[in-house]
């Protein structure tokens, strides 16, 4: 199991971590903390699994997004944030997304050794789970393929009707005033999606957390709500539950997530979430989410 130290000029690791690891004779490899969380997978591509230490960057929940990117990799890694005492609410979000440990600075040998032992145990458990999952996949592949095919047929039917309606200038995109509520802590992401939807004549409203989203839903009825899976004051399941209890007309809920493996859990009927969209990579383009949005609109 390798040990990686990730930092950059703006966000350096505490020097005590280097000193303590050196005193423990633990070999490390230096990596540059990326400016864009989407670059994390490329940075770790081809590397042997192990521990990744990086500093806390809570702006725009950047730490959490790094952890989410790491969780998508086929090779397991354990993420450890090293910094001064954290904000508890931020730390809860990070652990919910898979953070292995938070190492407070300045670092001491006893504390570091304990965290490494725990992280190694988690790492070995992940290796075992991957092996088990592969065996189960081999056993269930025919049934899983059938379920995916059936879901794709349903979506294709909705999209086919949408194409016909577009040609005839009829249907929900022309006959109804559609308005979508975007809930995200990323203003850049919201602006990109808002511009895209407006080209289809769909109006949008933007909010940054659950509290603001509920206030907006009280003032106006939305056809669809597109939300990040993780928000500053909760998650998408909490938002869907609150909307279900407070809205007179329950909107369709689409969750925008960086973790495709969480889709099945999010789509449990009790969560009242209609669709989960995996966030596209930068080279893919944000247009890739349109089929899911249009299919949900046509479910009425």
């Amino acid at each position: 199991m390798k040990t990686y130290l990730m930092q950059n000029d703006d966000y350096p690791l505490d020097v005590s971590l280097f000193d303590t690891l050196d005193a423990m004779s633990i070999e490390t490899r230096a990596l540059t903390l990326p400016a864009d969380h989407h670059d994390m997978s490329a940075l770790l591509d081809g590397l042997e699994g192990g521990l990744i230490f990086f500093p806390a960057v809570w702006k725009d929940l950047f730490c959490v997004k790094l952890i989410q990117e790491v969780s998508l990799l086929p090779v397991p890694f354990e993420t450890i944030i090293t910094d001064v005492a954290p904000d508890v609410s931020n730390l809860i979000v990070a652990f919910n997304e898979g953070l292995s440990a938070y190492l407070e600075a300045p670092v001491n040998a006893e504390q570091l050794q304990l965290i490494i032992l725990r992280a190694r145990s988690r790492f070995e458990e992940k290796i075992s789970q991957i092996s088990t999952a592969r065996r189960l996949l081999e056993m269930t592949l025919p049934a899983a393929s059938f379920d995916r095919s059936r879901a794709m047929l349903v979506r294709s039917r909705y999209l086919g009707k949408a194409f016909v309606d577009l040609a005839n200038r009829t249907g929900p995109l022309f006959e109804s005033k559609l308005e979508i509520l975007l809930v995200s802590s990323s203003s850049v992401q919201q602006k990109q999606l808002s511009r895209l939807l407006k080209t289809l004549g769909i109006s949008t409203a933007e909010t940054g957390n659950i509290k603001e989203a509920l206030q907006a839903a009280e003032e106006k009825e939305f056809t669809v709500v597109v939300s990040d899976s993780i928000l500053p004051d909760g998650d998408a399941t909490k938002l869907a539950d609150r909307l279900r209890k407070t809205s007179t007309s329950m909107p369709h809920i689409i969750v925008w997530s960086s973790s495709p493996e969480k889709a099945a859990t999010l789509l449990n009927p009790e969560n009242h979430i209609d669709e989960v969209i995996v966030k596209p990579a930068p080279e893919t383009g944000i247009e890739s989410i349109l089929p899911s949005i249009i299919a949900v609109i046509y479910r009425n």
Side-chain angles (χ1 to χ4, degrees):
M1 185 177 66
K2 299 293 185 180
T3 300
Y4 303 96
L5 304 181
M6 186 176 290
Q7 61 178 344
N8 59 26
D9 292 339
D10 293 327
Y11 298 100
L13 287 165
D14 192 278
V15 67
S16 63
L17 175 63
F18 294 88
D19 294 339
T20 309
L21 287 169
D22 186 58
M24 295 171 64
S25 300
I26 295 177
E27 294 185 3
T28 63
R29 176 172 175 176
L31 298 174
T32 301
L33 186 73
D36 188 324
H37 66 91
H38 290 112
D39 296 332
M40 194 69 161
S41 58
L43 182 63
L44 299 177
D45 185 39
L47 297 183
E48 185 179 337
L51 310 184
I52 305 175
F53 291 85
F54 57 87
V57 187
W58 297 117
K59 182 179 180 181
D60 199 20
L61 293 179
F62 188 70
C63 281
V64 177
K65 293 176 181 179
L66 290 179
I67 295 166
Q68 290 174 333
E69 295 292 340
V70 170
S71 70
L72 300 178
L73 298 173
V75 177
F77 290 88
E78 292 300 323
T79 51
I80 301 170
I81 296 176
T82 304
D83 213 323
V84 296
D87 180 274
V88 175
S89 62
N90 286 335
L91 195 56
I92 290 173
V93 173
F95 274 112
N96 285 340
E97 287 303 304
L99 178 67
S100 180
Y102 195 99
L103 180 62
E104 288 193 30
V107 176
N108 64 69
E110 183 179 353
Q111 180 187 32
L112 179 58
Q113 187 173 28
L114 179 60
I115 282 178
I116 289 177
L117 286 174
R118 290 175 178 172
R120 180 179 287 115
S121 177
R122 282 170 55 100
F123 179 79
E124 291 173 352
E125 183 179 354
K126 284 182 181 179
I127 294 293
S128 176
Q129 289 174 347
I130 290 173
S131 177
T132 301
R134 285 175 179 169
R135 291 196 298 270
L136 289 174
L137 180 61
E138 292 173 357
M139 297 170 59
T140 61
L141 186 59
S145 297
F146 175 77
D147 288 340
R148 288 195 298 269
S149 297
R150 183 168 54 185
M152 289 302 296
L153 283 173
V154 172
R155 176 190 275 195
S156 295
R157 178 165 59 86
Y158 287 134
L159 293 178
K161 180 171 176 51
F163 287 137
V164 172
D165 284 349
L166 285 171
N168 295 323
R169 300 187 68 79
T170 60
L173 295 177
F174 292 94
E175 297 170 357
S176 306
K177 183 179 180 181
L178 299 175
E179 188 152 11
I180 292 180
L181 177 62
L182 307 179
V183 190
S184 172
S185 59
S186 171
S187 58
V188 174
Q189 175 181 290
Q190 285 182 329
K191 289 177 182 178
Q192 289 177 334
L193 185 53
S194 179
R195 284 196 297 266
L196 176 64
L197 293 172
K198 285 177 181 176
T199 63
L200 297 177
I202 300 174
S203 300
T204 63
E206 294 81 42
T207 59
N209 53 49
I210 293 175
K211 181 180 179 180
E212 293 175 0
L214 294 174
Q215 290 174 343
E218 287 180 0
E219 299 171 0
K220 185 182 298 184
E221 288 189 3
F222 293 95
T223 310
V224 178
V225 174
V226 179
S227 172
D228 277 347
S229 60
I230 301 297
L231 297 164
D233 53 349
D235 59 20
T237 58
K238 178 180 177 181
L239 172 61
D241 183 62
R242 294 289 300 278
L243 285 171
R244 181 177 64 86
K245 292 177 179 178
T246 59
S247 298
T248 56
S249 177
M250 180 66 177
H252 294 294
I253 307 293
I254 297 177
V255 176
W256 204 355
S257 175
S258 300
S259 306
E261 73 277 2
K262 294 185 178 181
T265 301
L266 289 168
L267 290 171
N268 282 339
E270 64 266 21
N271 289 333
H272 303 281
I273 292 172
D274 298 279
E275 184 71 80
V276 176
I277 303 172
V278 178
K279 290 185 180 181
E283 65 273 12
T284 302
I286 201 170
E287 295 83 1
S288 62
I289 75 170
L290 278 180
S292 294
I293 292 176
I294 292 175
V296 164
I297 290 173
Y298 268 75
R299 285 182 186 177
N300 288 336

